[in-house]
Amino acid sequence: MKIAIYSRKSKFTGKGDSIENQIQLCKDYAEKYFDNIEDYFIYEDEGFSGGDTDRPQFKLMMKDAKNKKFNILICYRLDRISRNIADFSTLIEDLQQHDISFVSIKEQFDTSTPMGRAMMYIASVFAQLERETIAERIRDNMLQLAKTGRWLGGITPTGFDSKEIIYLDPSGKERKMFKLTPIREEIKIIKLIFKKFLELDSLTQLETFCIQNNIKTKNNKDYTRFTLRSILTNPVYATADKDIYNYFVNNDYEVYSDSTEFAGKNGIMAYNKTIQKKNTTNKQRDPSEWIVTVGKHPGIIKGSDWVKVQNMIERNRSKTFRKVKNTESLLSGILRCGNCGSFM
């Protein structure tokens, strides 16, 4: 049997539960309750908080767990592993996948026993409660931020840059926020993309047009159907006017701004658009879950044209040519069969 011991302390004090004391107590416990111990793997993180799992020895330990270098993980107290319930629940799930038991000697938490496993499930319930509470708090914050129409950060959409603005809050305190500002050359491309799609009524033909005319993304890559569709369906380019207001309301979008603010000048901001998870590609939420508001940036595309584009994309969805995402074949979407007219 191979045993891993994890110890952590936020800072060195020379008092209390020192790293050395934690390790010795864990060894004493192991020798008392487990037989045939072949080896110990010691992981020590000193000077690191338990607020998250971004610790060098903790990461090494989890890597070794994945490689099944040990059978049991022992720590002195649960909070040595993590003070975050969700992180702790994730740890237990990872250890379970690799058939590794977990022991906390202070709380007598031992997943190799029925009582220990029951405690593990209780911890999972609290982790779920924490996740749902956090999600609700984030949504409440989004609703408040939606009042301002600000840019919350991240990768800016093509055609815009993020600009800092200093303002005074109701108490007179200086604050800062960000808004989107147009980039003239990129905006020209955005307008051309919308114009050509309205003419061609086809994402595939629009992709071909961009390739043939050497129209590149801001990262100097060829536009694909998927990139073009993302641009065409992004409400950030639409002008907040009556046409788009009616579209949002009729399609069950949650519109936070009053109808009087859709005055045909500013653009649209949409919050809560994607489901974001670690190590996975972000997935778009159903539009009914979006929080739509009038932004601080200028509108680029007339609301009526943006709505028309959405209806065309939806209409064409069922008959869309399902081309692979591989863009290495430069003539894909250009060559057609001489007999049937299908894309090669």
Side-chain angles (χ1 to χ4, degrees), residues 105 121 140 142 175-176 212 247 286 288 290 309 336:
I105 62 176
Y121 291 123
D140 289 343
M142 282 182 177
R175 302 280 187 182
K176 68 178 179 179
Q212 290 177 336
Y247 175 84
D286 186 88
S288 62
W290 295 9
V309 166
R336 291 178 180 267

Side-chain angles (χ1 to χ4, degrees), residues 248-262:
F248 287 145
V249 171
N250 293 334
N251 286 276
D252 298 324
Y253 287 71
E254 186 173 349
V255 182
Y256 202 89
S257 299
D258 190 81
S259 61
T260 57
E261 296 180 57
F262 286 75

Side-chain angles (χ1 to χ4, degrees), residues 9 31 43 51 56 123 125 179 181 253 271 314 317 320 323:
K9 194 166 186 179
E31 290 169 6
Y43 304 90
V125 169
K179 81 166 188 175
T181 56
Y253 287 71
Y271 303 87
E314 187 61 32
R317 186 189 297 272
T320 299
K323 182 178 145 186

Side-chain angles (χ1 to χ4, degrees), residues 9 15 30 37 65 68 72 91 108 117 126 131 134 150-151 161 196 245 274 329 343-344:
K9 194 166 186 179
K15 299 183 293 183
I37 298 174
K68 298 185 178 181
I72 297 173
L91 167 76
Q108 290 294 299
R117 286 191 290 273
F126 280 104
R131 285 192 291 268
I134 290 172
R150 70 178 69 186
W151 174 250
D161 195 6
K196 294 305 294 185
Y245 176 80
T274 57
S329 303
F343 283 100
M344 302 292 283

Side-chain angles (χ1 to χ4, degrees), residues 58 84 98 115 121 231 279 318:
F58 182 88
N84 182 300
H98 304 303
M115 181 59 72
Y121 291 123
I231 288 174
N279 304 319
S318 61

